[in-house]
């Protein structure tokens, strides 16, 4: 019983720390306990370890770990992608090897769809399509990418040159230092797919998150169905009995017996799937919010920086009396705070009525 409790606690702790490490930098989580834990894991603990290592080994161990961390997080490599696919393959193989003879045809049919989908969408996220349709901005598709979106003259302004690529930056683009290329409608660089997410593969990333979460929950559901005969759950427990000490002891005993019956292949994989499924689905919910707000992760971070600077009093607003600007195609003209796209006027908003007096972040 104690071993099972420790196993469940370990899986939950690993899933929670994985969420903190990977998603603690999201702008929506700033000034929250998760952001505090993220800073503690990535900054405070390494700094404390570095000071201790300086006294013990002269900094050799901390330099080695810093180089490894820099390679994993800031270099283009497929190690994390292989880890994701390897873990998915190992858990699926263990689970199906034990459960296939015990599942009905109706339960097996959804697996024919759910199992291949994460691999398919991961491939489309990591794959570089032809230049004309891809997210990477090159001289051959630069003019087409310049016509994708108009400049907002706050985050993105016409005429700004990428110092690395030597091309004028299209609106909503960003130069990725890891991929060493400008990315159209750049969202972020994802180490899980070893590629930048942008104009061509962002939708596949969302589908990969959705398919992974659904597959995990379905696997947890199948594990519960197979182990339910060993649980001996009461048909309709009373509210008073649910919270009693005897009920808790019986519940743990039932979980132990189910775990012994299912083993690592069913109970272990089922618990891992149940605890880790909220990670991709939670990230998917955040990106759905970004889509609703009309932003990318990159743009959300920039707006968060503007809000903090405005709160600190280092950014000021100045009302435009007359401001004329246009992109390279002349599709958008700004005059007295009102934008026109072709012949359609757009109502003035705070974004186009005021201009922060600060260089572009």
């Amino acid at each position: 019983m104690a071993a099972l409790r420790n196993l469940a606690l370990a899986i939950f702790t690993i899933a929670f720390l994985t969420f903190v490490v990977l998603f603690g930098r999201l702008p929506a989580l700033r000034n929250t306990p998760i952001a505090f834990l993220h800073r503690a894991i990535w900054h405070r603990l390494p700094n404390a370890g570095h000071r201790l290592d300086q006294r013990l080994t002269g900094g050799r161990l901390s330099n080695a770990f810093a180089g490894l961390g820099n390679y994993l997080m800031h270099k283009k490599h497929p190690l994390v992608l292989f880890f994701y696919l390897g873990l998915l393959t190992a858990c699926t193989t263990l689970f199906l090897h034990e459960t296939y003879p015990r599942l009905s045809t109706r339960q097996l049919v959804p697996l024919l769809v759910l199992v291949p989908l994460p691999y398919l969408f991961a491939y489309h996220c990591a794959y570089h399509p032809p230049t004309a349709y891809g997210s990477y901005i090159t001289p051959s598709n630069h003019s087409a990418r310049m016509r994708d979106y108009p400049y907002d003259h706050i985050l993105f302004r016409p005429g700004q040159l990428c110092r690395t690529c030597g091309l004028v930056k299209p609106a909503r683009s960003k130069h990725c230092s890891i991929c060493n290329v400008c990315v159209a409608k750049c969202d972020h660089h994802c180490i899980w797919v070893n590629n930048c997410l942008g104009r061509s593969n962002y939708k596949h990333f969302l589908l990969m998150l959705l398919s992974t979460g659904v597959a995990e929950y379905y696997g947890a559901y199948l594990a519960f169905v197979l182990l339910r005969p060993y649980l001996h759950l009461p048909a309709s427990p009373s509210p008073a009995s649910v919270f009693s000490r005897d009920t808790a002891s019986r519940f743990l005993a039932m979980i132990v017996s189910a775990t012994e019956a299912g083993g690592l292949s069913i109970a272990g994989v089922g618990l891992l799937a149940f605890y880790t499924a909220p990670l991709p689905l939670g990230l998917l919910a955040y990106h759905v919010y970004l889509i609703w707000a009309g932003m990318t992760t990159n743009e959300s971070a920039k707006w968060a920086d503007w809000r903090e600077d405005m709160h600190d009093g280092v950014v000021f607003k100045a009302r435009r009396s007359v401001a004329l600007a246009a992109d390279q195609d002349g599709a958008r003209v700004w005059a007295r705070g009102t934008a026109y796209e072709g012949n359609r006027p757009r109502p003035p908003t705070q974004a186009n009525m005021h201009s922060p007096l600060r260089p572009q972040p």
Side-chain angles (χ1 to χ4, degrees), residues 135-274:
S135 299
Y136 291 176
I137 300 176
T138 62
S140 61
N141 67 0
H142 179 260
S143 59
R145 300 289 76 81
M146 290 293 292
R147 294 191 296 268
D148 286 340
Y149 301 99
Y151 292 98
D152 63 357
H153 297 263
I154 299 178
L155 296 182
F156 306 101
R157 302 175 183 176
Q160 291 191 327
L161 191 69
C162 176
R163 298 178 181 178
T164 304
C165 299
L167 300 173
V168 176
K169 291 183 178 181
R172 311 190 74 180
S173 67
K174 182 181 182 296
H175 182 86
C176 177
S177 59
I178 300 177
C179 296
N180 195 31
V181 68
C182 283
V183 181
K185 197 185 178 183
C186 179
D187 190 87
H188 70 284
H189 181 89
C190 181
I191 62 174
W192 291 96
V193 298
N194 191 34
N195 199 7
C196 277
L197 303 176
R199 178 180 178 271
S200 65
N201 58 357
Y202 181 64
K203 56 183 178 294
H204 300 296
F205 173 71
L206 300 180
L207 292 173
M208 185 186 74
L209 295 178
L210 177 62
S211 61
T212 301
V214 172
E216 286 185 298
Y217 269 135
Y218 186 69
Y221 163 75
L222 291 180
F224 172 77
V225 169
L226 293 175
L227 299 178
R228 188 173 183 177
Y230 303 94
L231 297 177
H232 304 292
L233 297 175
S236 57
S238 62
S241 64
V242 171
F243 299 100
S244 65
R245 181 174 299 180
D246 293 338
T247 302
S249 300
R250 289 196 300 268
F251 176 75
L252 289 177
M254 288 187 296
I255 295 294
V256 169
S257 63
T259 303
E260 292 176 351
L264 177 65
S265 300
I266 300 178
V269 174
L271 282 174
L272 180 64
F274 179 77

Side-chain angles (χ1 to χ4, degrees), residues 99-111 218 221-222 225-226:
T99 60
Y100 180 79
R102 304 165 62 178
L103 295 175
S104 65
T105 303
R106 186 177 62 180
Q107 293 169 332
L108 287 172
V109 168
L111 294 175
Y218 186 69
Y221 163 75
L222 291 180
V225 169
L226 293 175

Side-chain angles (χ1 to χ4, degrees), residues 106-144:
R106 186 177 62 180
Q107 293 169 332
L108 287 172
V109 168
L111 294 175
L112 298 177
V113 179
L114 293 177
V115 171
L117 285 182
Y119 296 93
L120 175 64
F121 294 132
Y123 167 77
H124 281 289
C125 288
Y127 171 66
H128 303 287
T131 303
Y133 306 100
S135 299
Y136 291 176
I137 300 176
T138 62
S140 61
N141 67 0
H142 179 260
S143 59

Side-chain angles (χ1 to χ4, degrees), residues 289-300:
Y289 159 74
L290 290 179
I291 294 173
W292 172 81
M295 295 186 298
T296 63
T297 302
N298 173 52
E299 294 162 0
S300 175

Side-chain angles (χ1 to χ4, degrees), residues 278-312:
L279 296 178
L281 295 180
L283 184 59
L284 175 64
Y286 174 70
H287 279 277
V288 170
Y289 159 74
L290 290 179
I291 294 173
W292 172 81
M295 295 186 298
T296 63
T297 302
N298 173 52
E299 294 162 0
S300 175
K302 290 185 176 183
W303 282 119
D305 292 338
W306 280 112
R307 286 193 296 268
E308 291 186 358
D309 291 342
M310 292 171 66
H311 181 268
D312 295 337

